[in-house]
Amino acid sequence: MKQADEDKQIRKHRIIIHVDMNAFYCSVHEAEDPASYKGKPTAVAGSVEQRKGIIVTSSYTARKRGIKTGMTVRQGLQLCPDLILIKPDFELYRKYSHGFLSIARQYTPLVEITSIDECYLDITGSSAFGQPLEIAEDIQKRIQSEWSLPCSIGVAPNKLLAKMASDMEKPNGLTVLRIRDVPRLLWHKPCDSLFGIGRKTGEKLRKLNIHTIGELAATEETLLVKQFGVAGSWMKAAAHGYDDSRVNPAREPNKSVGHTTTLPQDVTKRQEAHRILLNLADQTGRRMRRQKLVASTVQIVIRKPDMSTVNRSATLDVPTDTTADIHREACRLFDKHWREGDPVRLLGVTLQNLSSRNETAMQLDLFSYEQQPRKEALTRAMDLLRDKFGEDAVLTAGMLGNDPSTLIRNKRIRGTSLQTDEDLLYSDE
């Protein structure tokens, strides 16, 4: 009981910072090449082809011209003819992400990474570095001076309010949000502007005649629990600005690993689709092996030119981390759910139900178990070569196709026009 009271007191006096990088992908390119991009309307697109490319994020200059995430490249260029389109470079984004996170970790070991461009810091015990606002200002200035990146920072007594605060002023904002400020600053806003309440939950709340965060705060908890279960209690507390969740520096293991790619031209041939799936299986398998994980489920996504999308998955008999197994299952699913001759504009492969390789029982094939160690050694060697010399250092015959000239096309697929969206779940504001 005494320990619980102590924990409650600690939570009551916590100081949390949320760091949110501004227009991260575009800002990274601007930092790398300011002469080409600084102050100009830029957008990162999964594919830069005018016909089908989707804008992943845009600079604040472009946003002022009406450019929004999710627009097609064609729509963006119609709104802003001088829009500069940039191909994604996830290795570069990781470099800058590691850079700003290394600064954050110099102030506290309690850093929770929530995406490639944002994190929480618990600086309750960091008074040696100054007052909370001084620490926040120092972090913001250092990220700008050392990495040439803008960021917005929220300072609050909990994670919920720190996140809400960092969203209040962009770019380069620094906002303090206390629980006593919640009625004045938040209660007039719609419910789905409260972090953790999505669009669908917001619609359900409106049907209950609950439109604002203030109305949510005033609603009887029993009604919310009846409608939303235990989430109803959380919503009531959150509307008042309360949040007990801790900053957790131990990163949660990935629940899935996936890649999707928008194709420069529609694919209508089975063999070509299988080759693209091999590239995707190779990349997802490699990411999974890097994390020493195995997958029990393979999912594919097939999108047609009319944007209709098919998602299909299958559970494997035995968990795997090999490209060959992933590719075989992805092709089986594709052949089963694709009609001969139908055009395909996007393909994706996602691995789900992940588990630690060291803790998962791996069943050997009765007829090929003697070759298994050699195959694993070859896979490790290929991964090491790619780590050192780049993704195109080693290519399998299946990636090249029957025509030797496809080597050039394949490098283009892997590096530019088929650049994967790398889980575009990275929040990029």
Side-chain angles (χ1 to χ4, degrees):
M1 190 70 177
K2 184 179 179 182
Q3 182 64 49
D5 290 340
E6 289 177 359
D7 288 346
K8 189 174 181 179
Q9 282 297 109
I10 290 171
R11 290 197 297 273
K12 186 177 179 181
H13 296 97
R14 285 184 307 171
I15 305 164
I16 308 299
I17 283 177
H18 182 256
V19 178
D20 190 357
M21 308 307 294
N22 301 144
F24 182 59
Y25 296 167
C26 289
S27 296
V28 166
H29 289 288
E30 185 175 310
E32 278 286 295
D33 188 359
S36 298
Y37 302 125
K38 189 172 178 62
K40 297 178 181 178
T42 62
V44 171
S47 170
V48 297
E49 272 67 27
Q50 293 185 28
R51 188 168 67 98
K52 299 176 180 177
I54 301 296
I55 291 174
V56 175
T57 188
S58 57
S59 66
Y60 282 92
T61 303
R63 294 178 193 190
K64 290 176 182 177
R65 306 273 290 274
I67 305 301
K68 296 180 181 179
T69 298
M71 277 184 173
T72 64
V73 169
R74 178 184 292 170
Q75 290 171 327
L77 289 171
Q78 287 173 344
L79 277 173
C80 181
D82 56 339
L83 181 67
I84 301 172
L85 298 169
I86 309 171
K87 298 164 187 172
D89 185 342
F90 291 102
E91 290 302 321
L92 187 64
Y93 304 150
R94 289 189 192 97
K95 169 188 168 184
Y96 277 79
S97 180
H98 292 156
F100 88 79
L101 288 170
S102 69
I103 292 174
R105 290 191 177 103
Q106 292 172 36
Y107 294 85
T108 173
L110 299 176
V111 176
E112 179 179 339
I113 305 166
T114 55
S115 74
I116 198 171
D117 64 347
E118 60 181 306
C119 66
Y120 291 99
L121 294 77
D122 187 331
I123 60 166
T124 307
S126 302
S127 57
F129 296 99
Q131 295 297 314
L133 267 180
E134 292 174 335
I135 293 173
E137 288 173 354
D138 198 33
I139 290 171
Q140 189 177 54
K141 287 176 182 176
R142 285 187 60 190
I143 291 174
Q144 179 63 58
S145 63
E146 296 175 28
W147 290 93
S148 301
L149 293 177
C151 68
S152 292
I153 293 182
V155 184
N158 58 52
K159 289 170 66 177
L160 170 69
L161 294 185
K163 170 66 176 175
M164 297 289 290
S166 69
D167 284 337
M168 286 182 171
E169 188 180 345
K170 292 184 176 183
N172 286 314
L174 202 169
T175 306
V176 177
L177 183 57
R178 304 172 182 87
I179 288 178
R180 66 172 179 263
D181 300 326
V182 169
R184 177 172 57 89
L185 296 179
L186 298 184
W187 277 6
H188 65 284
K189 295 186 176 184
C191 292
D192 52 13
S193 67
L194 184 65
F195 182 66
I197 294 182
R199 180 177 55 83
K200 289 184 178 180
T201 302
E203 290 173 358
K204 290 180 181 178
L205 287 168
R206 283 191 288 275
K207 288 177 181 177
L208 295 171
N209 204 30
I210 303 170
H211 299 274
T212 66
I213 296 174
E215 290 172 348
L216 179 61
T219 302
E220 287 291 332
E221 185 175 340
T222 51
L223 172 63
L224 294 173
V225 171
K226 182 180 179 181
Q227 295 292 327
F228 300 98
V230 292
S233 294
W234 174 85
M235 285 192 283
K236 172 81 172 180
H240 284 279
Y242 298 121
D243 174 29
D244 284 337
S245 59
R246 296 172 178 269
V247 171
N248 181 13
R251 194 168 184 178
E252 292 293 320
N254 284 346
K255 295 180 180 178
S256 65
V257 171
H259 281 293
T260 61
T261 182
T262 302
L263 310 174
Q265 293 90 30
D266 291 341
V267 166
T268 57
K269 295 181 179 179
R270 186 187 309 274
Q271 185 178 3
E272 184 69 8
H274 282 195
R275 188 168 67 81
I276 294 163
L277 289 171
L278 177 56
N279 278 272
L280 295 170
D282 177 58
Q283 292 176 74
T284 51
R286 189 157 136 63
R287 278 184 62 199
M288 192 172 58
R289 290 192 296 275
R290 218 180 264 146
Q291 299 175 59
K292 295 181 172 57
L293 299 171
V294 292
S296 296
T297 301
V298 175
Q299 180 187 58
I300 66 164
V301 57
I302 306 168
R303 184 168 297 156
K304 299 178 182 179
D306 63 1
M307 301 303 289
S308 61
T309 303
V310 175
N311 288 283
R312 294 293 183 269
S313 62
T315 299
L316 304 171
D317 294 332
V318 180
T320 187
D321 64 356
T322 69
T323 295
D325 292 340
I326 298 164
H327 181 238
R328 187 183 307 112
E329 191 59 33
C331 289
R332 189 190 69 78
L333 286 167
F334 178 83
D335 292 347
K336 183 177 180 180
H337 299 287
W338 172 77
R339 189 171 58 188
E340 190 76 38
D342 275 0
V344 176
R345 77 180 296 267
L346 175 146
L347 283 171
V349 172
T350 299
L351 307 177
Q352 301 171 327
N353 292 327
L354 305 183
S355 58
S356 168
R357 192 182 199 286
N358 296 330
E359 298 173 6
T360 304
M362 304 289 285
Q363 183 177 332
L364 296 177
D365 189 289
L366 179 63
F367 300 103
S368 62
Y369 70 93
E370 292 178 337
Q371 300 174 25
Q372 192 69 19
R374 292 176 60 189
K375 289 180 179 178
E376 292 179 358
L378 178 61
T379 298
R380 285 196 300 271
M382 290 173 66
D383 286 346
L384 286 170
L385 284 170
R386 285 172 170 171
D387 287 341
K388 188 171 184 179
F389 299 109
E391 291 301 316
D392 292 317
V394 181
L395 299 173
T396 69
M399 295 176 188
L400 305 182
N402 297 324
D403 181 355
S405 67
T406 56
L407 172 59
I408 298 172
R409 293 203 298 273
N410 183 72
K411 290 176 79 70
R412 184 166 66 247
I413 285 173
R414 295 180 65 79
T416 57
S417 59
L418 287 194
Q419 179 77 330
T420 61
D421 294 344
E422 187 85 350
D423 297 331
L424 295 181
L425 6 124
Y426 290 141
S427 78
D428 182 27
E429 288 296 323

